[in-house]
């Protein structure tokens, strides 16, 4: 069966950076499922698979098309039950929903402000125009003003990781002794920052940094297949 994962990239098509795509890349690897990556720019997404989605990741698994990283994880869990579990149990799904909410409401906005100009500058011109219009609408200010506000996020970002830091005192992964989809959710956010921004958000020796390094090493070092900015 042919699997294709559509992944958001800038001018350099070898550097997929979407946090949501990274969740899915690690989910597929966790399940032991092979896949090809099809890089796309922002303005190409609505044209994919005859307009099947407005977002990536989009996974084509044989005749099936699934978008949204959480929906893809649920699909993989249901379709490939004999492969390693991504959630562990129903409670694991519920916990992953909480982790997703925390990551997207707390980490993503800060990273978005910190890296906004880095992302813009990595895009093709047609995607730069789209990115500027959409992000200025989202943040209610110019990209440059958003980037300036992001300087404060750099100072406070470590504090946002306190819940994760506390938990990692007791276990090596959010999933316990081994990673689950909840780990890939938070990893995706920090991998996004690692790939697009020269700012280092994790301090050496921090338990979160140690956890992130373990995640980079997972699945034959899949996370390290793209170098840091």
């Amino acid at each position: 069966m042919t699997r294709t994962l559509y992944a958001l990239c800038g001018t350099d098509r070898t550097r997929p950076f979407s946090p949501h795509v990274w969740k899915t890349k690690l989910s597929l690897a966790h399940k032991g499922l092979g896949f090809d990556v099809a890089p796309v720019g922002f303005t190409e997404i609505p044209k994919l698979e005859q307009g099947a989605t407005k977002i990536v990741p989009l996974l084509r698994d044989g005749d099936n098309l699934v978008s949204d990283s959480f929906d893809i994880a649920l699909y993989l869990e249901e379709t490939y039950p004999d492969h390693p579990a991504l959630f562990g149990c129903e409670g694991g799904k519920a916990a992953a929903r909480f982790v997703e909410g925390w990551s997207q409401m707390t980490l993503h906005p800060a990273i978005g402000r910190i890296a906004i100009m880095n992302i813009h500058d990595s895009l093709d011109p047609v995607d730069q125009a789209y990115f500027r219009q959409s992000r200025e609408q989202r943040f209610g200010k110019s990209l440059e003003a958003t980037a300036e506000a992001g300087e404060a996020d750099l100072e406070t970002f470590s504090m946002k990781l306190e819940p994760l830091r506390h938990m990692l005192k007791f276990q090596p992964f959010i999933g316990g002794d081994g990673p689950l989809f909840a780990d890939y959710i938070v990893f995706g956010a920090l991998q996004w920052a690692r790939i697009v921004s020269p700012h280092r958000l994790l301090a050496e020796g921090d338990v979160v940094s140690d956890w992130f390094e373990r995640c980079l090493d997972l699945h034959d070092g899949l996370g390290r297949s793209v170098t840091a900015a």
Side-chain angles (χ1 to χ4, degrees):
M1 179 182 293
T2 301
R3 293 183 195 87
T4 301
L5 178 65
Y6 294 96
L8 181 63
C9 298
T11 302
D12 186 343
R13 294 303 174 102
T14 68
R15 298 180 63 81
F17 59 79
S18 163
H20 309 294
V21 167
W22 276 101
K23 296 179 208 176
T24 299
K25 290 184 74 171
L26 268 68
S27 296
L28 286 162
H30 183 106
K31 285 285 189 182
L33 302 172
F35 62 97
D36 296 320
V37 173
V40 296
F42 277 105
T43 54
E44 295 174 284
I45 295 172
K47 306 170 189 175
L48 297 176
E49 297 285 357
Q50 299 181 327
T53 184
K54 295 181 179 179
I55 61 172
V56 290
L58 174 67
L59 175 67
R60 172 168 281 286
D61 186 27
D63 293 332
N64 298 317
L65 281 171
V66 193
S67 62
D68 182 88
S69 58
F70 210 108
D71 287 346
I72 292 172
L74 294 173
Y75 165 81
L76 294 176
E77 197 81 323
E78 179 178 346
T79 306
Y80 302 99
D82 295 333
H83 294 239
L86 283 165
F87 297 100
C89 62
E90 286 300 313
K93 292 179 185 178
R97 286 290 189 193
F98 174 81
V99 171
E100 181 184 56
W102 170 70
S103 179
Q104 293 189 186
M105 297 175 70
T106 303
L107 303 184
H108 282 225
I111 294 170
R113 289 186 291 267
I114 290 167
I116 197 162
M117 291 309 302
N118 304 118
I119 299 169
H120 172 271
D121 293 346
S122 74
L123 303 176
D124 291 330
V126 64
D127 289 327
Q128 286 182 339
Y130 163 82
F131 185 80
R132 178 174 289 277
Q133 185 276 329
S134 62
R135 270 46 181 184
E136 289 185 347
Q137 183 177 25
R138 177 181 299 178
F139 287 106
K141 60 184 72 174
S142 70
L143 294 188
E144 291 76 11
T146 299
E148 186 175 347
E151 295 176 8
D153 287 294
L154 274 173
E155 299 296 323
T156 61
F157 190 82
S158 180
M159 295 172 57
K160 301 180 191 303
L161 298 170
E162 274 301 307
L164 179 59
R165 192 172 287 118
H166 173 76
M167 190 216 65
L168 290 171
K169 294 177 183 178
F170 304 97
Q171 58 201 61
F173 292 98
I174 300 174
D177 291 334
L180 293 175
F181 185 63
D183 288 272
Y184 303 150
I185 291 170
V186 184
F187 173 81
L190 298 177
Q191 177 78 329
W192 174 35
R194 173 181 172 270
I195 291 171
V196 300
S197 173
H199 297 295
R200 295 293 166 255
L201 302 183
L202 302 178
E204 188 173 346
D206 188 339
V207 293
V208 177
S209 182
D210 294 341
W211 163 85
F212 186 64
E213 291 294 319
R214 289 193 293 274
C215 289
L216 286 168
D217 288 334
L218 291 170
H219 314 306
D220 298 319
L222 178 60
R224 298 188 192 278
S225 63
V226 177
T227 57

